[in-house]
Amino acid sequence: MAVPIEEHVDLKQLPQEERLARMRHSAAHVLAEAMVELMPEAELGIGPPIENGFYYDFRLPRPLTEEDLKWLQKRMRKSLGRRLPFQMEQITREEAQERWKDQPFKLDLLSDLEDGSITQCTHGKFTDLCRGGHVNHTGELGAFKLTSIAGAYWRGSEKNPQLQRVYGILFETEEELQDYERRLEEARRRDHRRIGRDLKLFDLYDEVGPGHVVWLPAGATIRRELMRWIEDLELERGYLHVSTPNVSKRELYVKSGHWDHFRDAMYPVMEREGEEYVLRPMNCPSHIMVYMSDLHSYRELPLRIAELGNMHRWEKSGQVSGMSRVRIMTLNDAHIFCADTAQVESEVEGVLRLMEEVYGTLGLKDYAYRLSLGDPENKEKYVDNPPMWEAGEALLRRVLQKVGLDFYEAKDEAAFYGPKIDVQFQTAAGKDETLVTIQVDFHFPEQFGLEYVGEDGARHRPIIVHRGVISTLERMVALLIEEYEGNFPLWLAPTQAIVIPIADRHIPYGEEVAAKLRTARLRVEVDNRSDRMNAKIRDAQMRKIPYVLVVGDREAEAGQAAVRVRGGEDLGPMALDDLLEKLRTERDTKALSP
Ligand SMILES: [Zn+2]
Ligand SMILES: [Zn+2]
């Protein structure tokens, strides 16, 4: 016998988070009701509340269209005025099996439920198998909107049938809903995937595979500028650059512990001639090999080994995204081999100061330092060595305080071999992501038996500092695209200036102007298409080129160009020498704006 469960919730008394969760989950019921009306054959999956809204998964006889979404939404809005109560009831397994016999996914869910805890919920004529968490009636749903359709596997596994997922957003008031949509629109405008496509910076291809980024010439130019810059900054700070292989024998990663702790994130093993090879997921073991090529004296430490090294991580295909989540990446990596903790402290300090300089130059502001700690309870995830963890964590805390940086601490966020400082960034979509890390590592030196000869003539263990600064070039460029909305400062802009001849007869002079600027290694194009001048100027603006140089009879005669800055400012005619000097200075100082 079905037993009704009486429940009245005073929504106003609930914490906002729970109130919203109830509204969002209830809206998912109303969505399912509308769907069953649209397609009676619909098979129901689950309909949970999520951040900012809700979704419901369905198996349907045909793909959903935008028209369907509109219809569903209209149908859902109607329920609002009808104020239909949500009525929960407890049922027996037999009742449930009979009631849900035509709904295979509900039957599957039923197998997870314990006897005595099987409940369903009815509003109007619609019933759903559900464990509860609703508002009192459909009049309390708030302001919502159906936003998109996506594919999703039942229970998130590729082995199961694929369903269609309908997403909605829901807030308490119409104003909050509109505010959220405005923020979403802003994020869309800044989305690196869209801008990357518009500006032809990079592309992704089915044949190449998800997460395998192809850098197009414009994007590769930005990448190269960043690489040269960071390598120069490292040279100034005594780093030595190396180049090590992307493929190593599996045994190297068994020894490092990556195989035990990191295997799921690695590409599968390659076998040839009885040997097993893997694509490297991290550069650390390669740089440890560099260290081991020689017996080092304390006089050589700290030894700073750096490489723009490729790494390969098997991110699930549902998780790769544009350039911010990829499978093959190039990391601005370094491993600093230190004699003792005093050296570690001063090296970590040096890295933090380098980071501040780099992010300052790039004009980045929305980031925070996070001290990421291990979890002594979790012996599976982390190397079991409590004194090592305590010493490492205290040291990083000390340095952060000394450099005077704001930071917060987070448990259970460390690397498997030691604590770290993470630099956390906000993406345009508002997601918190780790850009780079600094890690103190007592573990690998032990694991690989690393040594140096001390002042006393005896052998000692070095300590390794792992660090990035630029992060992976993929993630950094994604971040910069969103930060600048594609308006790169001159030094990074793929095309720095474009010459626009007013008529065909001005093309030769235009070529002269370009050649002159190229003597300073400025990246200049001549737009020699036969379009009208205004169309060419518009095109240059769309491509976000920092300088547009218009040349006609007057300019050719005077040895000048009429200069327009990106964003519209008109600087009027300038002598070529002055122009060259202006652009050179702006580039060399890495100015963020003209
Ligand atoms: Zn429910
Ligand atoms: Zn490392």
Side-chain angles (χ1 to χ4, degrees):
M1 264 287 288
V3 184
I5 302 170
E6 291 312 326
E7 187 193 30
H8 176 84
V9 284
D10 189 351
L11 285 178
K12 287 198 191 72
Q13 297 299 320
L14 293 176
Q16 189 194 36
E17 207 174 311
E18 196 193 329
R19 186 165 59 239
L20 277 169
R22 281 177 180 264
M23 295 166 84
R24 287 167 180 166
H25 169 64
S26 304
H29 277 262
V30 178
L31 166 60
E33 176 198 14
M35 187 65 85
V36 171
E37 210 175 298
L38 181 68
M39 296 187 214
E41 317 88 314
E43 291 173 1
L44 307 178
I46 54 167
I50 53 172
E51 208 184 345
N52 304 317
F54 58 91
Y55 69 77
Y56 208 111
D57 287 344
F58 306 96
R59 182 151 68 178
L60 304 169
R62 63 166 175 85
L64 286 167
T65 63
E66 288 298 321
E67 287 308 304
D68 292 329
L69 276 198
K70 280 192 199 127
W71 188 91
L72 289 165
Q73 181 163 306
K74 229 168 127 187
R75 179 66 192 71
M76 285 175 72
R77 292 248 160 90
K78 270 193 191 152
S79 318
L80 272 175
R82 294 166 63 199
R83 300 168 72 90
L84 301 165
F86 287 97
Q87 178 63 57
M88 287 286 287
E89 55 188 354
Q90 190 176 336
I91 51 173
T92 64
R93 185 169 300 279
E94 292 67 38
E95 285 170 320
Q97 259 148 3
E98 176 56 26
R99 171 67 183 76
W100 297 102
K101 63 177 192 292
D102 299 327
Q103 290 285 346
F105 303 115
K106 295 294 175 189
L107 287 180
D108 191 27
L109 290 174
L110 199 56
S111 64
D112 289 351
L113 298 178
E114 310 237 336
D115 285 338
S117 72
I118 302 170
T119 52
Q120 59 187 22
C121 179
T122 302
H123 73 278
K125 293 199 183 79
F126 178 79
T127 302
D128 202 348
L129 185 73
C130 167
R131 68 174 153 228
H134 308 105
V135 293
N136 299 299
H137 56 76
T138 55
E140 293 180 332
L141 290 183
F144 60 84
K145 196 171 173 181
L146 297 182
T147 51
S148 59
I149 309 157
Y153 292 105
W154 174 241
R155 292 187 187 265
S157 164
E158 292 124 72
K159 292 183 199 109
N160 291 333
Q162 199 176 16
L163 310 177
Q164 296 185 66
R165 176 172 295 177
V166 179
Y167 281 104
I169 52 177
L170 185 150
F171 293 87
E172 289 185 51
T173 64
E174 198 60 45
E175 293 76 62
E176 286 168 293
L177 183 76
Q178 281 173 12
D179 187 50
Y180 173 75
E181 285 192 285
R182 260 194 302 276
R183 275 182 288 136
L184 213 61
E185 182 48 40
E186 159 88 8
R188 225 171 267 145
R189 199 160 46 77
R190 289 171 54 188
D191 190 328
H192 78 274
R193 292 167 298 186
R194 188 184 63 73
I195 297 177
R197 198 166 43 242
D198 289 352
L199 299 184
K200 298 191 170 73
L201 301 180
F202 67 94
D203 215 339
L204 292 154
Y205 304 86
D206 264 355
E207 309 84 311
V208 183
H212 299 168
V213 172
V214 175
W215 293 83
L216 301 175
T221 300
I222 299 168
R223 186 178 194 269
R224 187 184 61 238
E225 288 297 330
L226 289 170
M227 285 166 58
R228 285 181 177 166
W229 177 48
I230 191 64
E231 286 194 333
D232 284 347
L233 290 172
E234 286 167 350
L235 281 172
E236 287 167 19
R237 286 158 183 78
Y239 285 81
L240 304 172
H241 292 102
V242 296
S243 181
T244 56
N246 286 319
V247 180
S248 296
K249 284 192 186 166
R250 186 176 71 90
E251 62 188 66
L252 180 64
Y253 300 97
V254 172
K255 194 163 184 184
S256 69
H258 286 104
W259 187 253
D260 273 354
H261 293 269
F262 213 73
R263 189 182 340 182
D264 291 346
M266 289 170 70
Y267 276 70
V269 171
M270 297 171 270
E271 270 188 69
R272 276 286 154 101
E273 297 179 357
E275 298 285 1
E276 293 182 324
Y277 293 90
V278 290
L279 286 167
R280 70 171 165 200
M282 288 188 191
N283 304 317
C284 331
S286 313
H287 289 184
I288 287 169
M289 294 297 116
V290 171
Y291 183 86
M292 288 169 76
S293 75
D294 210 348
L295 176 60
H296 297 283
S297 140
Y298 71 96
R299 292 174 202 278
E300 296 167 69
L301 305 185
L303 186 65
R304 307 178 188 92
I305 301 298
E307 177 176 13
L308 286 153
N310 288 333
M311 308 190 305
H312 315 77
R313 307 246 173 115
W314 191 260
E315 301 274 3
K316 293 214 176 80
S317 34
Q319 260 155 24
V320 297
S321 163
M323 281 213 298
S324 53
R325 277 299 271 281
V326 297
R327 285 180 177 165
I328 303 180
M329 60 209 94
T330 306
L331 180 67
N332 163 226
D333 208 354
H335 295 87
I336 309 175
F337 297 82
C338 300
D340 50 36
T341 51
Q343 274 189 5
V344 170
E345 288 206 36
S346 73
E347 287 305 308
V348 172
E349 183 183 337
V351 173
L352 287 171
R353 292 194 193 282
L354 176 58
M355 285 175 165
E356 287 291 290
E357 180 178 338
V358 165
Y359 307 148
T361 303
L362 292 171
L364 301 175
K365 285 178 210 83
D366 291 333
Y367 63 95
Y369 291 98
R370 180 178 78 184
L371 177 55
S372 298
L373 312 171
D375 178 1
E377 305 301 311
N378 195 340
K379 315 243 186 250
E380 286 268 291
K381 187 168 170 190
Y382 300 110
V383 171
D384 185 14
N385 185 347
M388 173 196 98
W389 284 93
E390 274 163 39
E393 290 171 3
L395 186 149
L396 291 178
R397 196 176 286 121
R398 215 156 46 231
V399 186
L400 279 164
Q401 282 159 352
K402 180 175 174 209
V403 183
L405 297 169
D406 285 334
F407 67 98
Y408 64 100
E409 305 198 1
K411 232 182 147 177
D412 197 19
E413 291 284 356
F416 74 83
Y417 50 81
K420 56 187 175 123
I421 296 171
D422 292 319
V423 182
Q424 298 297 113
F425 269 80
Q426 286 257 311
T427 65
K431 257 178 68 191
D432 195 39
E433 281 192 346
T434 300
L435 187 71
V436 280
T437 64
I438 310 174
Q439 293 153 25
V440 180
D441 168 20
F442 300 87
H443 174 69
F444 283 153
E446 204 62 51
Q447 205 71 3
F448 284 89
L450 302 187
E451 292 179 334
Y452 69 91
V453 180
E455 209 172 349
D456 55 4
R459 304 286 174 99
H460 299 269
R461 268 279 177 268
I463 308 162
I464 302 178
V465 174
H466 306 240
R467 56 108 269 203
V469 173
I470 289 272
S471 173
T472 68
L473 289 156
E474 287 75 15
R475 184 163 282 185
M476 177 52 90
V477 171
L479 181 74
L480 292 180
I481 293 171
E482 299 190 343
E483 176 72 23
Y484 303 140
E485 291 182 34
N487 295 301
F488 283 90
L490 189 71
W491 74 283
L492 288 173
T495 298
Q496 295 167 315
I498 187 160
V499 183
I500 298 185
I502 292 175
D504 281 357
R505 65 177 187 281
H506 304 121
I507 290 176
Y509 176 66
E511 294 289 356
E512 262 177 61
V513 172
K516 167 97 183 174
L517 296 176
R518 286 188 194 121
T519 60
R521 277 184 287 108
L522 287 158
R523 297 182 287 268
V524 188
E525 286 176 36
V526 179
D527 190 342
N528 55 15
R529 296 172 302 171
S530 49
D531 286 352
R532 292 189 37 241
M533 183 182 77
N534 282 336
K536 292 182 184 182
I537 291 175
R538 242 193 333 272
D539 194 50
Q541 281 164 349
M542 296 287 286
R543 292 177 57 200
K544 302 177 188 280
I545 297 172
Y547 286 94
V548 173
L549 313 172
V550 179
V551 294
D553 289 331
R554 222 172 357 166
E555 287 78 15
E557 214 154 282
Q560 292 176 330
V563 182
R564 279 163 189 258
V565 189
R566 179 179 56 202
E569 200 194 346
D570 194 343
L571 299 185
M574 279 181 82
L576 293 190
D577 285 324
D578 297 342
L579 177 63
L580 185 139
E581 216 29 58
K582 176 180 165 53
L583 296 192
R584 197 210 306 261
T585 307
E586 186 179 330
R587 174 194 64 191
D588 292 349
T589 55
K590 299 193 166 50
L592 286 168
S593 52

Coordinates of all heavy atoms in Angstrom, one line a residue, residues 374-384 412:
G374 N 48.3 18.1 2.1 CA 47.9 16.7 2.0 C 46.8 16.3 2.9 O 46.1 17.1 3.5
D375 N 46.6 15.0 3.1 CA 45.7 14.5 4.1 C 46.3 13.3 4.7 O 46.4 12.2 4.1 CB 44.4 14.1 3.4 CG 43.3 13.6 4.3 OD1 43.6 13.5 5.5 OD2 42.2 13.2 3.8
P376 N 46.7 13.4 6.0 CA 47.5 12.3 6.7 C 46.6 11.1 6.8 O 47.2 10.0 6.8 CB 47.8 12.9 8.1 CG 47.1 14.2 8.2 CD 46.6 14.6 6.8
E377 N 45.3 11.2 6.7 CA 44.4 10.0 6.8 C 44.5 9.2 5.5 O 44.2 8.0 5.5 CB 43.0 10.5 7.1 CG 42.8 11.3 8.3 CD 43.2 10.7 9.6 OE1 42.8 9.5 9.8 OE2 44.0 11.3 10.3
N378 N 44.7 9.9 4.4 CA 44.6 9.2 3.1 C 45.9 8.7 2.6 O 46.7 9.3 1.9 CB 44.0 10.2 2.1 CG 43.6 9.5 0.8 OD1 44.0 8.4 0.6 ND2 42.7 10.2 0.1
K379 N 46.2 7.4 3.1 CA 47.5 6.8 2.7 C 47.5 6.2 1.3 O 48.6 5.9 0.8 CB 47.8 5.7 3.7 CG 47.5 6.1 5.2 CD 48.8 6.1 6.0 CE 48.5 6.3 7.5 NZ 49.0 7.6 8.0
E380 N 46.3 6.1 0.7 CA 46.2 5.6 -0.7 C 46.7 6.7 -1.6 O 47.5 6.4 -2.5 CB 44.8 5.4 -1.0 CG 44.1 4.2 -0.4 CD 44.3 3.0 -1.3 OE1 43.6 3.0 -2.4 OE2 45.1 2.1 -1.0
K381 N 46.2 7.9 -1.4 CA 46.4 9.0 -2.3 C 47.8 9.7 -2.2 O 48.4 10.1 -3.2 CB 45.3 10.0 -2.1 CG 45.3 11.1 -3.2 CD 44.0 11.9 -3.0 CE 44.0 13.2 -3.9 NZ 42.9 14.1 -3.6
Y382 N 48.3 9.7 -1.0 CA 49.5 10.4 -0.7 C 50.6 9.5 -0.1 O 50.4 8.6 0.6 CB 49.3 11.6 0.3 CG 48.3 12.6 -0.2 CD1 47.0 12.6 0.4 CD2 48.5 13.4 -1.3 CE1 46.1 13.5 -0.1 CE2 47.6 14.3 -1.7 CZ 46.3 14.4 -1.1 OH 45.4 15.3 -1.6
V383 N 51.9 9.9 -0.5 CA 53.0 9.2 0.1 C 53.0 9.3 1.6 O 52.7 10.3 2.2 CB 54.3 9.8 -0.4 CG1 55.5 9.3 0.3 CG2 54.5 9.7 -1.9
D384 N 53.2 8.1 2.3 CA 53.0 8.1 3.7 C 54.3 8.4 4.4 O 55.2 7.6 4.6 CB 52.6 6.7 4.1 CG 52.2 6.6 5.6 OD1 52.1 7.6 6.3 OD2 52.1 5.4 6.1
D412 N 43.8 18.4 1.3 CA 43.5 17.3 0.3 C 43.6 17.9 -1.2 O 42.9 17.5 -2.0 CB 42.2 16.7 0.5 CG 42.0 15.4 -0.2 OD1 43.0 14.8 -0.6 OD2 40.9 14.9 -0.4

